[in-house]
Amino acid sequence: MAAMANANRKLQVSTWNVAAINNNPFEYWITYDENPAYETIMTNIEAFLENPGAQDVPVSQVFTEEMFAELEKRMDGVGWDNVRSYWDNDFKNRKIVEGFMKDPLLGSKRLASMPDRITNTINVVGSDFPVCRPTVINMYDGDLSTLQIWWSAWERFMFDTPLTIQSKDGTFTEPPYKMLQPIKKAKYPDITEEEEKVSLPLQTMCGAIFDAILVHMMNTVSTPDVWQALKKTMVENLNRQKVPHTLDILENVYGTSDIITLQEVSGSLIEQARNRPLGQKFWIVAPGSMDAVRDQNSVILLSKETFPAGPSAEITSLVESSFEPGVTVPVAKGDILAITATDRDGIPFVVASFHGDTNGLATKPVLSAIMKGMASDSSLVAHKLVFGLDANTYEKAKPGKQQDVLEWGQHYVSYDLTSCWGDVPNPANYTTFNSRTYLQPQLNKACKKTDKRANGDVNPKDFILFGKGDFKVVHTWKDNTGEKTYIEDMAFPTLNFPSDHGILATIVEPITSASNA
């Protein structure tokens, strides 16, 4: 540490949950000042669903008798049980909003959300871009200007489009209807035994009705030329260009960092980063055991100038083996990455990156495991810890169900660590601001425009930790613009900032004393 101090060197550490790509560009409220049509459409959708009035027409006026007859023929043709009785006696007479979109039982039975989850966006072998079901709530770029155009495309997609998928057992090719899974009463108790028996054709019908209502709704509150053009721009910026845009910010704004810890990183981002100037400037370290299924991994970037020898070893397995025996910690493959590295001044580091579970319940156990692992290995005792993480901590946590941010502060201080926010984090120092819109399958989670702040995820979630006796903070900042500034009370992502977590960066300098000189 003395050599670092004598050279007047400081350490810049940045951390960012870059956020997995969201296939639905409309799912979260975004700040889109460039085009006022966005706010108008989203507000009109909210009004349509909250106060439909005369627009709450029967399902059969949207998903018509003719459409059902064609669907029935298709489903009979693949050998499924007939569900005409459900159509004639129930679904066709339901009102599209109160009877279908807002029916809580339909939600708990997963009759519309399950087929959406499975067929919304399908990654196929040999293509950089996924295949999307013809619907409003994904990256589908075909024409949805009329219900008849939508229906022809939807029917063809579900039944006539063989797709080649990579699975753990190899590749297989089949149309989307074959990918659907039965809905089991054991897992979803609200479904009846009769519905369970016909759950494949029943969910296919409900999925078709759901998509038809979305298309009808968009073409009612807006015009196809306006909303489809808006969607195209959003898809391009939020989805297709998300990885290049993320890398541009890291390269151009945070390229001066010595250490960058990232969370929720896709394999594609890692590969693209290595092939860009970022890969010449940084050692890009991914977990030895990558999460290929969720495609979300914690990653560490080490400046080649600061760490000329690169990473020494990965010690993730040491951390994972240091959890308290008999305690289940909610971590998934790829969530933790811990490595060792020595900087140009000969200072040995343990650098860790971690993505906490939604409720933050793994955050304290993971830190405890890192500290226990380091203490258990004599070769690591002298190492300096730098830990960047999405802690998923909350300002007003539900006791026993979510991790309170002040309690988290007490936990890291108990290990003689401090954070870029100090020993006692400010619960109102937010690094997220996101809330769901009405254009997604779980309407019970939708936030009204006026309630984005009150009911959204606005919390102090991101941290950089280090030894209290090792470093002191010179300057810390957060960023939700990609320009080293943070606009409070602004929902993000935006078209210019591609994540729902702010970037956090701190500059620290070494603390020198006789004991660690």
Side-chain angles (χ1 to χ4, degrees):
M1 298 294 268
M4 186 179 180
N6 292 338
N8 200 26
R9 276 203 267 273
K10 298 176 178 62
L11 199 68
Q12 179 177 325
V13 184
S14 307
T15 191
W16 192 13
N17 178 340
V18 299
I21 288 180
N22 187 345
N23 298 316
N24 177 7
F26 290 115
E27 181 165 3
Y28 291 97
W29 284 98
I30 67 168
T31 299
Y32 193 170
D33 295 332
E34 300 89 340
N35 189 343
Y38 171 78
E39 199 97 336
T40 303
I41 290 170
M42 301 311 285
T43 307
N44 288 345
I45 289 286
E46 177 187 318
F48 189 105
L49 288 164
E50 285 295 335
N51 303 293
Q55 292 177 319
D56 202 3
V57 298
V59 162
S60 58
Q61 285 189 30
V62 177
F63 187 73
T64 63
E65 289 279 6
E66 292 76 18
M67 291 174 183
F68 176 77
E70 289 166 8
L71 179 61
E72 179 183 38
K73 190 176 174 184
R74 288 287 200 162
M75 296 194 298
D76 287 350
V78 301
W80 284 349
D81 290 325
N82 192 283
V83 289
R84 175 167 280 279
S85 60
Y86 289 90
W87 169 255
D88 282 338
N89 302 331
D90 183 3
F91 283 95
K92 78 174 185 182
N93 303 312
R94 291 187 180 207
K95 294 295 178 68
I96 58 172
V97 176
E98 294 303 332
F100 192 91
M101 298 296 281
K102 295 176 83 170
D103 175 17
L105 262 183
L106 203 66
S108 59
K109 291 176 180 182
R110 298 294 194 271
L111 285 171
S113 59
M114 183 72 81
D116 175 64
R117 186 168 66 82
I118 291 171
T119 65
N120 181 290
T121 303
I122 301 171
N123 292 312
V124 293
V125 173
S127 172
D128 290 338
F129 292 111
V131 175
C132 297
R133 188 181 78 249
T135 188
V136 171
I137 54 170
N138 61 12
M139 295 186 281
Y140 179 71
D141 56 6
D143 183 14
L144 297 176
S145 59
T146 71
L147 279 166
Q148 196 53 56
I149 290 172
W150 159 77
W151 171 240
S152 298
W154 194 96
E155 185 186 7
R156 197 164 54 246
F157 166 84
M158 287 297 285
F159 294 95
D160 297 333
T161 309
L163 301 173
T164 302
I165 313 292
Q166 181 72 51
S167 77
K168 60 179 184 292
D169 302 320
T171 62
F172 64 92
T173 302
E174 61 188 22
Y177 81 87
K178 283 196 168 179
M179 299 174 192
L180 297 175
Q181 303 291 318
I183 299 174
K184 302 288 189 185
K185 186 171 177 62
K187 189 167 185 183
Y188 302 105
D190 282 338
I191 203 157
T192 67
E193 289 176 8
E194 292 74 22
E195 289 167 340
E196 181 182 30
K197 288 174 189 167
V198 295
S199 64
L200 288 171
L202 193 59
Q203 66 178 290
T204 303
M205 178 185 75
C206 290
I209 294 169
F210 175 70
D211 283 340
I213 294 171
L214 291 176
V215 172
H216 166 75
M217 197 162 57
M218 292 302 277
N219 289 327
T220 301
V221 305
S222 181
T223 57
D225 57 319
V226 172
W227 79 260
Q228 292 196 126
L230 179 79
K231 178 184 173 181
K232 191 174 182 181
T233 304
M234 290 170 65
V235 165
E236 187 62 25
N237 285 276
L238 296 173
N239 304 74
R240 297 203 192 283
Q241 292 302 314
K242 178 182 168 67
V243 168
H245 201 168
T246 300
L247 293 173
D248 285 344
I249 292 172
L250 289 171
E251 235 161 58
N252 301 329
V253 185
Y254 291 88
T256 54
S257 303
D258 299 290
I259 297 170
I260 302 174
T261 62
L262 303 174
Q263 299 86 38
E264 286 196 52
V265 182
S266 65
S268 172
L269 190 147
I270 295 167
E271 188 180 339
Q272 290 182 49
R274 286 175 173 155
N275 292 325
R276 286 179 47 142
L278 206 61
Q280 289 154 20
K281 201 168 188 178
F282 290 89
W283 305 100
I284 297 171
V285 190
S289 181
M290 293 262 288
D291 169 24
V293 179
R294 288 185 315 150
D295 199 22
Q296 298 176 22
N297 300 280
S298 293
V299 167
I300 294 168
L301 278 61
L302 298 176
S303 161
K304 290 183 176 179
E305 188 180 342
T306 309
F307 296 91
S312 312
E314 181 179 347
I315 58 166
T316 307
S317 58
L318 173 65
V319 174
E320 291 174 340
S321 65
S322 299
F323 290 134
E324 289 300 319
V327 176
T328 302
V329 181
V331 293
K333 194 174 177 182
D335 281 344
I336 306 171
L337 175 61
I339 62 173
T340 57
T342 302
D343 80 350
R344 59 188 166 187
D345 295 312
I347 301 168
F349 283 86
V350 166
V351 181
S353 178
F354 172 62
H355 171 225
D357 60 293
T358 303
N359 295 315
L361 299 180
T363 300
K364 283 166 57 178
V366 166
L367 176 60
S368 296
I370 290 172
M371 301 308 290
K372 181 181 174 184
M374 288 177 68
S376 71
D377 188 330
S378 58
S379 68
L380 298 176
V381 172
H383 283 58
K384 311 299 180 189
L385 176 66
V386 172
F387 185 16
L389 70 157
D390 164 14
N392 265 322
T393 42
Y394 290 82
E395 177 185 22
K396 295 169 183 168
K398 296 172 187 168
K401 294 186 175 181
Q402 294 174 324
Q403 180 55 59
D404 176 79
V405 70
L406 290 173
E407 190 183 279
W408 160 240
Q410 293 164 3
H411 187 71
Y412 64 68
V413 165
S414 73
Y415 288 106
D416 290 325
L417 301 174
T418 189
S419 82
C420 59
W421 301 125
D423 291 355
V424 182
N426 174 3
N429 188 6
Y430 310 122
T431 57
T432 63
F433 186 143
N434 60 76
S435 47
R436 277 192 171 92
T437 70
Y438 282 75
L439 272 180
Q440 42 84 27
Q442 295 174 290
L443 284 185
N444 59 315
K445 295 184 179 179
C447 289
K448 294 180 180 178
K449 180 187 169 186
T450 51
D451 295 340
K452 281 190 285 187
R453 172 74 183 73
N455 295 340
D457 179 5
V458 185
N459 280 294
K461 292 196 166 186
D462 299 274
F463 285 82
I464 298 167
L465 305 184
F466 44 85
K468 197 168 182 177
D470 297 333
F471 297 101
K472 62 182 177 185
V473 172
V474 177
H475 175 50
T476 293
W477 70 94
K478 57 184 184 175
D479 178 354
N480 64 357
T481 61
E483 298 172 356
K484 292 189 176 179
T485 56
Y486 191 96
I487 300 172
E488 300 288 350
D489 288 325
M490 179 183 80
F492 58 99
T494 67
L495 294 197
N496 300 316
F497 190 81
S499 177
D500 59 359
H501 278 253
I503 304 167
L504 188 54
T506 191
I507 296 172
V508 297
E509 61 185 12
I511 296 172
T512 55
S513 67
S515 62
N516 60 13

